[in-house]
């Protein structure tokens, strides 16, 4: 994050702290007026409820704004008052004389002193770890570190065929001076690890590191893990397997520290503070202060995680959580209560209504950031298990079709051009028959990784079934789409795969259609499928556009 932005966030947080102080002062003066009536023996039920709610708000928010002693004092008073709120009227009158004593009233009156005498903003705002502020991986770059220049270049050329930019270094001492920002992975030869602990320690956490080693044993794997390696791949080296490793690790790495969080809290200052702190840490945040807007905001924002207070004015966070679970779409959405409620029984009761976890206010900014990131990461991993193909990590058939339907609707609404394409590996059955299904899986993953690296982040890529894939290129002219897809065909044909029967390569046939030109997404998919059939009939290995009565001639390897 730039220095200017950090300064701007700090300025906004300072404004929020002042707004909290002004509001807290007003609330405490109101509490003192109630305390004055209590001292005169005028203890009414509604007044007690109002005092309790004010103390509850102070207890939950004061610590966040740097008034820890005020929050602790309000918490102690809140806990003492709570039995009165939960007791029927007849019992309340008796109990109130035992709880609302002169000493209790003096402690309420002393809250203002705690507010005014405290050093404002004494609790520092903990920023996100350095790595979070690094830009997302826009370009997949890989650094190969190998003392043998010929071997390093051989590996680099193989990885480049899968769409990566690759640089080569001969030693770790040289590698540490390389710009690691945005790297998808660093691939290191095991012989370079010995005696380079300082360099390795300095690089830990910057980017995924994969070790290439000769001995695949428990002992060696444990040693690599102890040295901070994120992955290990044994020799003889399979380039498709290495690329698949790089893709998996870089995808997991990119998910760390990111996420979409919806915060539901009726305390405006607290809501804004949490949002600023989490946005500063690289998270995308949507705040909701009016619980009646939850469903509408949820559908539009589609968060990875919901942070919700338990007491939201006249609404209960626990009841809202139960309500959200009415919709099957939100059954798996993690809901974490961010509340000052400390009673374990009350917490369990709230969790039983639909929540997943509790974070007890006040929470430090650093703890909040880390807790939210961990939960967002886990939520995204679980979502991938549901929506992604287990072999390739691409969208499953049904999810891909939903995305095509959405893109078709967007084209109709916005008047933009998009392309849908069906892809099929040529003669893939021969690969399985000759080299086995395990090698066939390597080929499928190789094409998947190539598509991920050759297409844009905004493009939709799905595994339609077996060796068949579907892609959507939003806001893309047909000529541009055809050129990109043809380059995928050309690049795949150059990749050398290894099987028990020797080395081999595969080709790809593609049929594409303009998504926006059809009445429905199903019609566009059918047109692309017909174009794919034409490509197969014309000799495979290339791209055919739907509606082209004269498909291009068969390519050399068709």
């Amino acid at each position: 994050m730039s220095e200017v932005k950090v300064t701007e966030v700090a300025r906004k947080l300072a404004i929020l702290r002042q707004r909290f102080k002004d509001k807290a002062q007003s609330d405490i003066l109101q509490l003192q007026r109630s305390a004055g009536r209590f001292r005169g023996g005028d203890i009414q039920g509604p007044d007690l409820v109002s005092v309790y709610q004010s103390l509850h708000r102070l207890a939950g928010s004061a610590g966040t704004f740097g008034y820890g002693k005020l929050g602790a004092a309000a918490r102690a008073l809140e806990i003492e008052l709570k039995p009165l709120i939960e007791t029927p009227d007849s019992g309340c009158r008796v109990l109130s004389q035992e709880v609302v004593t002169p000493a209790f009233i003096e402690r309420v009156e002393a809250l203002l002193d705690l507010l005014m005498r405290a050093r404002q903003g004494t609790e520092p705002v903990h920023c996100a770890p350095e790595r979070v502020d690094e830009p997302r991986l826009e370009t997949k770059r890989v650094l190969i570190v190998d003392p043998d220049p010929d071997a390093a270049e051989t590996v680099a050329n193989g990885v480049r065929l899968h769409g990566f930019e690759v640089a080569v270094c001969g030693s770790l001492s040289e590698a540490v001076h390389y710009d690691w920002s945005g790297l998808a992975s660093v691939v290191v030869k095991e012989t370079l690890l010995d005696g380079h602990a300082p360099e390795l320690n300095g690089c830990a956490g910057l980017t995924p590191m994969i070790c290439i080693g000769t001995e695949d044993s428990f002992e060696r794997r444990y040693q690599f893990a102890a040295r901070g390696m994120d992955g290990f791949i044994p020799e003889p080296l399979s380039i498709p397997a290495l690329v698949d490793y790089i893709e998996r690790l870089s995808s997991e790495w990119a998910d760390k520290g990111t996420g979409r969080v919806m915060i539901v809290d009726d305390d405006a200052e607290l809501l804004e503070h949490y949002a600023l702190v989490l946005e500063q840490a690289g998270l995308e945040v949507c705040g909701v202060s009016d619980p009646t807007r939850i469903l509408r905001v949820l559908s539009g924002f589609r968060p990875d995680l919901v942070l919700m207070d338990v007491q939201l004015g006249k609404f209960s966070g626990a009841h809202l959580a139960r309500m959200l679970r009415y919709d099957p779409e939100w059954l798996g959405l993690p809901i974490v209560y961010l509340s000052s409620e400390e009673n374990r029984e009350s917490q369990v009761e709230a969790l039983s209504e639909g929540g997943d976890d509790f974070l007890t206010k006040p929470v430090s900014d650093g703890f909040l950031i880390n807790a939210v990131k961990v939960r967002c990461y886990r939520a995204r991993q679980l979502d991938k298990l549901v929506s992604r193909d287990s072999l390739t990590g691409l969208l499953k058939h049904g999810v891909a079709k939903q995305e095509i339907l959405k893109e078709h609707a967007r084209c109709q609404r916005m008047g933009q051009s998009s392309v849908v394409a069906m892809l099929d590996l040529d003669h893939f059955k021969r690969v399985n028959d000759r080299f086995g299904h395990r090698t066939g899986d390597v080929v499928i993953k190789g094409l998947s990784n190539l598509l991920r690296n050759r297409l844009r982040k905004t493009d939709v890529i799905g595994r339609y079934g077996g060796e068949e894939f579907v892609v959507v290129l939003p806001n893309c002219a047909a000529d541009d789409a055809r050129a990109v897809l043809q380059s995928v065909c050309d690049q795949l044909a150059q990749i050398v795969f290894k099987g028990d029967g020797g080395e081999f390569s595969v080709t790809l046939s593609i049929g594409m259609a303009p998504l926006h030109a059809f009445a429905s997404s199903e019609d566009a998919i059918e047109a692309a499928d017909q174009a794919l059939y034409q490509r197969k009939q014309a000799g495979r290995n290339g791209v055919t556009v739907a509606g082209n009565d004269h498909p291009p001639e068969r390519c050399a390897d068709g």
Side-chain angles (χ1 to χ4, degrees):
M1 180 177 287
S2 68
E3 186 176 345
V4 173
K5 194 164 184 179
V6 170
T7 303
E8 177 62 14
V9 170
R11 185 186 68 80
K12 290 180 178 178
L13 290 175
I15 292 174
L16 280 175
R17 282 195 289 270
Q18 185 58 49
R19 280 169 49 187
F20 166 80
K21 183 177 181 181
D22 295 342
K23 185 177 179 182
Q25 185 174 357
S26 174
D27 287 347
I28 293 172
L29 289 174
Q30 181 61 39
L31 284 171
Q32 288 182 336
R33 285 192 283 273
S34 297
R37 290 192 292 276
F38 294 164
R39 191 185 294 278
D42 181 14
I43 305 177
Q44 302 295 328
D47 216 4
L48 284 173
V49 172
S50 176
V51 168
Y52 174 79
Q53 291 175 340
S54 291
L55 292 171
H56 181 79
R57 283 196 299 272
L58 283 173
S61 57
T64 300
F65 293 102
Y67 298 92
K69 290 183 179 178
L70 172 63
R75 167 84 65 204
L77 291 166
E78 174 201 0
I79 292 173
E80 292 179 35
L81 203 57
K82 190 173 183 179
L84 285 179
I85 308 304
E86 298 174 342
T87 303
D89 288 345
S90 57
C92 177
R93 283 192 293 272
V94 176
L95 190 58
S96 62
Q97 296 174 1
E98 300 175 3
V99 175
V100 187
T101 62
F104 181 93
I105 294 170
E106 287 177 6
R107 288 161 59 199
V108 170
E109 293 171 337
L111 292 176
L112 188 59
D113 287 339
L114 292 175
L115 176 69
M116 304 309 292
R117 286 187 303 181
R119 290 180 56 198
Q120 192 178 41
T122 51
E123 182 176 339
V125 175
H126 298 279
C127 297
E130 288 291 328
R131 197 181 69 219
V132 174
D133 293 332
E134 293 178 359
R136 292 288 305 277
L137 299 177
E138 295 296 332
T139 304
K140 294 287 184 66
R141 295 186 298 118
V142 175
L143 179 62
I144 308 289
V145 190
D146 191 327
D148 183 338
D150 293 336
E153 202 54 45
T154 299
V155 175
N157 287 334
V159 174
R160 287 188 184 110
L161 287 175
H162 291 261
F164 291 89
E165 293 180 20
V166 185
V168 173
C169 287
S171 67
L172 277 174
S173 301
E174 182 184 354
V176 295
H177 296 294
Y178 191 83
D179 178 13
W180 287 39
S181 61
L183 278 177
S185 282
V186 174
V187 181
V188 184
K189 189 79 171 182
E190 66 171 337
T191 52
L192 294 175
L193 300 184
D194 294 330
H196 289 278
E199 288 94 332
L200 291 173
N201 291 337
C203 298
L206 294 178
T207 198
M209 296 182 69
I210 300 171
C211 179
I212 299 176
T214 55
E215 180 187 339
D216 187 5
S217 64
F218 171 84
E219 290 76 13
R220 290 300 288 164
R221 283 175 175 255
Y222 185 82
Q223 289 172 6
F224 296 144
R227 291 175 177 178
M229 294 293 106
D230 299 289
F232 164 73
I233 187 163
E235 292 181 318
L237 185 63
S238 163
I239 295 297
L242 174 61
V243 168
D244 188 57
Y245 220 134
I246 294 170
E247 281 289 350
R248 180 171 61 81
L249 285 177
S250 63
S251 175
E252 291 178 359
W253 208 265
D255 279 347
K256 291 180 178 178
T258 64
R260 297 163 64 83
V261 186
M262 188 170 91
I263 308 173
V264 186
D265 201 314
D266 60 344
D267 187 318
E269 285 75 26
L270 210 50
L271 176 60
E272 195 169 345
H273 178 94
Y274 292 149
L276 272 173
V277 167
L278 293 177
E279 286 173 349
Q280 184 188 22
L283 293 149
E284 194 174 346
V285 181
C286 178
V288 178
S289 58
D290 179 2
T292 62
R293 296 180 59 244
I294 282 183
L295 292 176
R296 188 164 63 250
V297 175
L298 205 57
S299 297
F301 185 63
R302 308 192 74 80
D304 300 312
L305 176 74
V306 172
L307 288 177
M308 184 154 60
D309 197 357
V310 172
Q311 293 186 13
L312 296 150
K314 65 179 181 180
F315 297 99
S316 159
H319 294 169
L320 290 170
R322 175 187 284 181
M323 182 191 74
L324 293 183
R325 304 305 191 198
Y326 289 170
D327 190 336
E329 187 176 10
W330 308 124
L331 279 175
L333 177 66
I335 298 175
V336 177
Y337 297 122
L338 189 55
S339 169
S340 56
E341 179 59 66
E342 289 183 323
N343 184 282
R344 295 297 297 173
E345 290 185 1
S346 298
Q347 290 185 359
V348 171
E349 185 178 344
L351 291 173
S352 70
E353 295 221 32
D356 296 285
D357 203 354
F358 246 95
L359 292 179
T360 305
K361 295 178 182 175
V363 294
S364 71
D365 294 343
F367 182 83
L368 178 67
I369 290 168
N370 290 328
V372 167
K373 282 182 178 176
V374 168
R375 287 164 175 80
C376 280
Y377 176 71
R378 294 302 304 163
R380 287 193 164 201
Q381 294 300 101
L382 290 173
D383 180 66
K384 282 184 177 179
L385 285 176
V386 174
S387 64
R388 302 279 172 164
D389 173 61
S390 59
L391 177 65
T392 63
L394 302 180
L395 294 178
K396 290 181 178 177
H397 178 105
V399 181
K401 289 190 72 172
Q402 288 178 4
E403 293 300 318
I404 298 171
L405 182 66
K406 289 179 186 175
E407 181 56 25
H408 180 267
R410 198 182 70 85
C411 288
Q412 300 300 312
R413 190 172 62 253
M414 307 292 290
Q416 293 182 344
S417 301
S418 296
V419 168
V420 60
M422 300 295 296
L423 300 76
D424 191 82
L425 287 164
D426 298 329
H427 302 302
F428 186 68
K429 186 174 183 300
R430 296 179 187 175
V431 174
N432 280 334
D433 290 345
R434 181 179 177 186
F435 300 102
H437 289 273
R438 193 170 181 179
T439 301
D441 287 349
V442 173
V443 174
I444 287 175
K445 287 196 284 188
L447 174 57
S448 305
N449 293 329
L450 182 59
L451 289 171
R452 265 193 288 261
N453 288 319
R454 291 296 302 160
L455 303 186
R456 302 167 299 180
K457 287 184 179 297
T458 51
D459 296 334
V460 175
I461 313 171
R463 188 182 181 195
Y464 218 57
E467 68 273 24
E468 199 170 20
F469 299 78
V470 63
V471 301
V472 178
L473 294 89
N475 198 21
C476 182
D479 287 346
D480 294 336
R482 181 172 182 165
V484 170
L485 294 173
Q486 182 61 54
S487 73
V488 172
C489 292
D490 296 342
Q491 208 155 355
L492 179 67
Q494 298 179 54
I495 296 175
V496 176
F497 295 93
K498 292 181 181 178
D500 290 340
E503 296 182 344
F504 65 96
S505 58
V506 295
T507 59
L508 179 69
S509 293
I510 300 176
M512 54 170 272
L515 182 60
H516 57 279
F518 291 85
S520 70
S521 60
E522 291 288 350
D523 290 345
I525 294 172
E526 177 61 25
D529 203 35
Q530 288 298 321
L532 173 61
Y533 177 77
Q534 290 178 17
R535 168 46 56 185
K536 293 284 187 180
Q537 295 300 307
R540 300 180 173 84
N541 190 21
V543 183
T544 292
V545 182
N548 187 344
D549 294 329
H550 303 287
E553 296 297 325
R554 173 179 176 169
C555 297
D557 192 37

